[in-house]
Amino acid sequence: MDGRGLVRSVRIFGTMQGLRAARSAWRQRRTDARALPARGAERARVPGPVTGAEPLPGGGIVRFARSQLRIRVAAGGAVFWGWDGAEPEPSYALAGAAPEPDPRAELEPDKDGGWRVVSERVTVEVSRHGAVEIRTPGGVVLRRDLPPRWWEPVRGGPARWVQRTEVPADARFFGLGGRASGPRLRDGSYRLWNTDPRGSFEPGDDPLYITMPVQLVVADAGTHLAFHDNSWDGRVTLREGEEGAGSGHDRPGTSEVRMEGGPLRCWVVVGTPTRVLAGWTQLTGAPAVPPSWALGPQHARWGFGSEQEVRRIVAGYQERELPLSAVHLDIDHYDAHQVFTVDREHFPDLPGMAKDLRDDGVRLVSIVDPAVKAERGNAVYDSGAVAGVFVRDAAGQEVRGVVWPGESVYPDFTDPAARRWWGELYEERLAQGFSGVWHDMNEPVSFTPFGDMTLPRSARHALDGQGGDHREAHNLYGLTMARAGYEGLRRLRPDERPFLFSRSGWAGMQRYGGTWSGDVSTGWPGLRASLSLVLGLGLCGVPYSGPDVGGFDGSPSPELYLRWFQLGALLPLFRTHAAIDAGRREPWEFGPTVLEHARAALVERERLRPYFVTLAHLARLTGAPYARPLWWGCPEDRVLRDCEDAYLLGDALLVAPVLERGTDRRAVRLPRGRWYDTATGRAYDGPGQVLVDAPLSRIPVLARGGSVIPVRGDDGGMELEVWAPAEGRNGRGLVVTDLGDGWEQPEVERYTTRLVDGRVVVKQQKGGGSAQPRWRVRVRGLGARG
């Protein structure tokens, strides 16, 4: 028995609350045993031989002896297939209606009794026994899904199923949500069940808070994304392939998806990484653009304890001239941990403090947990009980668990009425002066000394009119809570973009905001896991994320804290945070040397703020993550596919963080093109590996030759930092200016650069022609030593 969850609850609440957690867990098991009887005998089934087909727009239905397969190629090139009548809708992942079928794609007979659909971007071949192959227009196989297998209970109930897939021998796997190991997913088994890991986690821990059945596969043949649209508990087992060293006897890579129920349906998007993420975004929705202030440095702590302490910390930043955009208040600012309340004794004038801080350019952000204390007289519980919005069991009784406030109930966010009710509660947060929220404990969590810290699997959910239980709704809980909060904030403050990020979620969560690492362990492995999480989530369509700088638990050494700080300053969400007993995370607490170098990282983050604004808007328009693997622009480079200790920040910058103790020089793998060390100005030509300095004062950052980077100048205004292109090569860049935190759509400015007679010429592209840039230009890299 793993008792860390119980130990944590007892330590925080005392023995009585720990006993309540144990009693809740026993009650949960009894409920499930009564409402979810054993599966009993099962009958295995495979599709069998093909018996016929029916053409439909974009594809059609292929019938087999014991099943049928629906194939549809969408107008944008995405492929959908579903077995046993599974259709694209309803789906919590899709942003709206499924895309229209491609009218030019038709189902036609293929060789050996199979069928195929040929479109401009992809060919789908279905064998006579039910294997599905996805091929490039040139006929190269990207993936081969073998005939699936189902296990159906003889007495009725949901069928389990398994889908095995083969990919090219050289392929590498990425994605599956937030994984601490990676971003390349090596051979192993990965669970699809959003989970609080019962304390801090390291690279070997799995699963974590955000799991998604989204795989990005990169091979010489091409890149593709596969999404099994099913929210049930499952497991993905990956095995990389092996090439036959010229013998022709390659062993393909394999992926095996096993689900405990739900539909067997899948979307596949093919193309370059840029095109794949754009297609994925078209399916699941554009990422929400955070307000511009949320792209600045933010500070949090579980345990500020009082208004005076918050003011003291903010004053500490100001006195030391350290930039700060937001302060996050954790559960200790609530009254007895009850959501949508305030501890009036320690925070007597929260709105007044929020106003004072905002006048100084610092916003307040509030934690919001889903658990509601189940106690008459608690206004939130009373109103929710009257509205009937809490999760219930099969007998119609409220499901109760134990979380921070004690015995608690949980809103059913899969119910539109519950989402509306919950969204209106954020009016109290806005009235207290908060500018944004972060959702926590929304896997959802119920403390228990054993098993999953979650709700009974038999708990009933509305599922937007479809009806079902927690086996299907669990992974959707954080996603639908984010939707409730986001839509509520939009209604309450329609002129401002909401700021919301969530610990848990599922495919499509980017529509409502971002996420963060959760309780990453303090240590060098935790620092490495921070980068893996951000890169992996970005490849699943969630571009705005970041870690708890310094780690959630424990006390980082000054060196570890600084290296984490330097990395966090160059990730989308830049936030320091720590547990109540883990010490402070203010830069000045680690000595004058760390303070000096942390100030430099903060100043550089603020200098790059216009670049982060550009990346945020480009993510909305294209789906491209802010932080990208090194292979993003050249997936055919096999060496870059295996590089996990550096990343691209947009197209222009390569960041090589220090992830090991005592490092002052490190090797950096470069993609093709010219790259400049932004600190020394030295030029390097890729592809290849170089050794660069990484003193304690900074981590290596290299700029791509020819790039155009919007930055904040010394006078506070925007300017363009242009890095000289190599001789005979042109460069380019995109700039999106900040129009404030509302909904006005900014213009995308396009720039080109070229080297002419030893000088760099920068032009803005407009209406088929070119013009002088509207911003001041600063050229760097001319005459740099190679």
Side-chain angles (χ1 to χ4, degrees):
M1 181 181 73
D2 182 352
R4 284 189 295 169
L6 179 59
V7 169
R8 180 172 60 177
S9 66
V10 170
R11 183 183 64 183
I12 299 298
F13 297 120
T15 303
M16 181 57 67
Q17 201 76 323
L19 291 175
R20 287 175 178 168
R23 187 173 63 212
S24 173
W26 173 81
R27 188 167 58 234
Q28 171 181 323
R29 290 193 169 192
R30 184 183 63 176
T31 299
D32 281 346
R34 183 171 57 247
L36 297 176
R39 295 178 62 89
E42 295 180 317
R43 181 185 299 109
R45 173 170 62 90
V46 295
V50 67
T51 60
E54 175 188 353
L56 294 170
I61 297 174
V62 182
R63 294 189 174 88
F64 299 85
R66 290 175 291 276
S67 188
Q68 66 179 31
L69 173 67
R70 172 75 158 95
I71 296 285
R72 186 167 81 178
V73 178
V79 177
F80 171 83
W81 53 255
W83 287 94
D84 288 348
E87 294 286 342
E89 301 175 64
S91 170
Y92 280 92
L94 301 188
E100 292 295 318
D102 183 350
R104 300 168 297 177
E106 297 180 353
L107 183 67
E108 57 188 39
D110 198 14
K111 59 184 182 296
D112 298 328
W115 295 82
R116 68 176 183 175
V117 180
V118 179
S119 70
E120 181 182 2
R121 295 183 181 177
V122 68
T123 296
V124 185
E125 295 186 359
V126 182
S127 78
R128 59 192 177 97
H129 290 292
V132 179
E133 286 188 353
I134 306 294
R135 294 175 175 264
T136 67
V140 179
V141 177
L142 294 176
R143 66 183 287 120
R144 184 171 189 264
D145 293 293
L146 303 178
R149 181 181 292 268
W150 295 266
W151 288 269
E152 300 166 331
V154 173
R155 295 181 296 181
R160 299 183 295 118
W161 55 261
V162 60
Q163 174 73 68
R164 295 184 176 92
T165 303
E166 295 178 349
V167 297
D170 65 285
R172 296 291 182 260
F173 297 99
F174 301 86
L176 295 182
R179 304 288 167 170
S181 298
R184 169 185 163 195
L185 301 177
R186 287 170 169 77
D187 296 358
S189 182
Y190 302 86
R191 191 179 177 194
L192 299 170
W193 188 254
N194 293 350
T195 302
D196 179 347
R198 294 173 172 262
S200 57
F201 65 86
E202 293 186 350
D205 294 322
D206 189 270
L208 298 178
Y209 313 98
I210 300 174
T211 67
M212 296 183 195
V214 179
Q215 297 181 40
L216 192 77
V217 184
V218 184
D220 287 354
T223 301
H224 74 271
L225 179 148
F227 167 53
H228 288 84
D229 194 351
N230 183 318
S231 61
W232 283 63
D233 191 1
R235 191 170 292 277
V236 178
T237 302
L238 302 177
R239 185 185 182 193
E240 293 181 349
E242 184 175 337
E243 293 182 292
S247 68
H249 298 287
D250 291 352
R251 177 174 60 79
T254 60
S255 168
E256 180 184 273
V257 180
R258 288 182 176 267
M259 304 299 288
E260 294 301 311
L264 174 45
R265 57 183 180 176
C266 184
W267 285 94
V268 179
V269 185
V270 305
T272 64
T274 300
R275 176 169 286 181
V276 166
L277 265 292
W280 177 238
T281 298
Q282 290 175 0
L283 282 175
T284 60
V289 178
S292 57
W293 59 264
L295 295 169
Q298 305 175 50
H299 185 78
R301 190 203 305 167
W302 178 15
F304 278 125
S306 70
E307 179 180 320
Q308 290 77 14
E309 177 67 1
V310 174
R311 290 181 181 273
R312 186 186 74 82
I313 295 300
V314 173
Y317 273 86
Q318 293 170 338
E319 291 165 3
R320 295 169 177 84
E321 297 182 342
L322 303 175
L324 181 65
S325 290
V327 170
H328 298 219
L329 300 189
D330 212 313
I331 54 174
D332 53 292
H333 86 279
Y334 282 132
D335 181 11
H337 299 115
Q338 296 184 62
V339 68
F340 301 118
T341 65
V342 175
D343 179 351
R344 300 292 180 184
E345 178 182 354
H346 296 98
F347 292 86
D349 185 17
L350 195 53
M353 181 181 72
K355 181 181 182 304
D356 291 344
L357 296 185
R358 186 159 184 162
D359 289 343
D360 290 333
V362 179
R363 293 340 197 259
L364 274 187
V365 176
S366 171
I367 192 172
V368 173
D369 290 356
V372 175
K373 186 175 180 63
E375 181 179 74
R376 294 293 179 185
N378 173 9
V380 177
Y381 174 74
D382 290 344
S383 67
V386 170
V389 297
F390 298 126
V391 175
R392 296 179 178 272
D393 61 22
Q397 301 299 310
E398 291 175 350
V399 170
R400 299 195 174 190
V402 175
V403 203
W404 302 121
E407 190 170 59
S408 303
V409 291
Y410 301 79
D412 180 9
F413 296 114
T414 71
D415 182 350
R419 290 197 296 268
R420 180 85 186 193
W421 167 80
W422 185 261
E424 295 303 319
L425 296 175
Y426 287 77
E427 183 174 11
E428 181 272 344
R429 294 287 87 185
L430 297 180
Q432 297 295 341
F434 290 105
S435 298
V437 296
W438 52 297
H439 289 171
D440 200 2
M441 308 293 287
N442 58 339
E443 288 70 36
V445 171
S446 175
F447 294 147
T448 173
F450 46 79
D452 288 331
M453 298 203 302
T454 185
L455 304 186
R457 296 190 173 217
S458 60
R460 303 299 299 172
H461 291 266
L463 290 168
D464 285 270
Q466 300 295 312
D469 59 40
H470 198 66
R471 292 175 295 179
E472 181 177 2
H474 173 82
N475 284 338
L476 302 171
Y477 197 85
L479 169 72
T480 51
M481 181 185 179
R483 177 180 176 181
Y486 182 84
E487 292 176 348
L489 291 170
R490 286 205 63 173
R491 289 192 301 269
L492 293 167
R493 192 167 286 174
D495 296 332
E496 294 185 18
R497 298 196 300 271
F499 176 54
L500 184 152
F501 62 105
S502 173
R503 190 171 81 171
S504 184
W506 201 62
M509 64 179 294
Q510 73 277 359
R511 300 190 295 263
Y512 313 117
T515 184
W516 87 105
S517 64
D519 300 345
V520 61
S521 178
T522 296
W524 293 95
L527 170 59
R528 185 175 291 272
S530 297
L531 179 58
S532 299
L533 284 160
V534 173
L535 293 177
L537 286 163
L539 295 175
C540 292
V542 185
Y544 182 79
S545 67
D548 283 346
V549 168
F552 182 71
D553 65 338
S555 299
S557 68
E559 181 190 6
L560 173 60
Y561 173 81
L562 179 59
R563 292 310 196 186
W564 216 319
F565 199 92
Q566 291 165 335
L567 169 62
L570 293 171
L571 291 175
L573 172 60
F574 178 25
R575 184 182 85 146
T576 55
H577 185 45
I580 194 169
D581 55 355
R584 300 183 182 276
R585 290 290 189 272
E586 294 80 45
W588 55 87
E589 296 290 342
F590 294 86
T593 299
V594 170
L595 174 60
E596 176 188 355
H597 300 330
R599 177 183 288 108
L602 285 167
V603 169
E604 180 63 7
R605 172 69 177 221
E606 287 299 275
R607 193 182 77 89
L608 289 173
R609 179 84 73 93
Y611 186 50
F612 277 95
V613 169
T614 291
L615 295 179
H617 284 283
L618 292 180
R620 175 184 63 84
L621 294 171
T622 69
Y626 309 22
R628 311 163 186 178
L630 290 187
W631 49 258
W632 179 261
C634 40
E636 69 281 359
D637 188 328
R638 295 188 177 189
V639 176
L640 292 182
R641 289 183 213 158
D642 297 340
C643 183
E644 300 176 300
D645 62 354
Y647 65 97
L648 298 174
L649 183 60
D651 280 334
L653 297 178
L654 189 159
V655 181
V658 172
L659 304 176
E660 296 179 355
R661 179 188 295 110
T663 300
D664 60 5
R665 283 175 68 80
R666 60 152 293 174
V668 179
R669 177 66 60 176
L670 298 179
R672 62 175 176 259
R674 173 155 295 181
W675 297 88
Y676 297 91
D677 186 321
T678 58
T680 66
R682 180 167 182 174
Y684 302 94
D685 288 320
Q689 181 171 284
V690 297
L691 192 64
V692 298
D693 291 334
L696 193 61
S697 60
R698 60 178 174 84
I699 58 175
V701 178
L702 294 96
R704 189 190 300 270
S707 59
V708 178
I709 306 173
V711 298
R712 184 174 291 172
D714 294 337
D715 61 356
M718 199 174 89
E719 63 183 32
L720 303 181
E721 183 173 271
V722 176
W723 288 86
E727 190 73 39
R729 303 283 302 263
N730 295 334
R732 58 187 174 82
L734 300 176
V735 175
V736 183
T737 54
D738 185 10
L739 298 179
D741 297 333
W743 298 98
E744 185 177 355
Q745 298 303 313
E747 176 187 358
V748 178
E749 302 174 5
R750 303 175 186 274
Y751 293 91
T752 60
T753 64
R754 57 195 179 98
L755 198 61
V756 179
D757 297 330
R759 56 189 291 267
V760 176
V761 177
V762 183
K763 293 289 186 180
Q764 182 178 356
Q765 305 304 302
K766 279 190 169 184
S770 61
Q772 293 299 319
R774 57 180 292 209
W775 309 103
R776 183 173 55 193
V777 174
R778 183 160 61 98
V779 175
R780 298 187 64 183
L782 273 179
R785 292 186 301 110

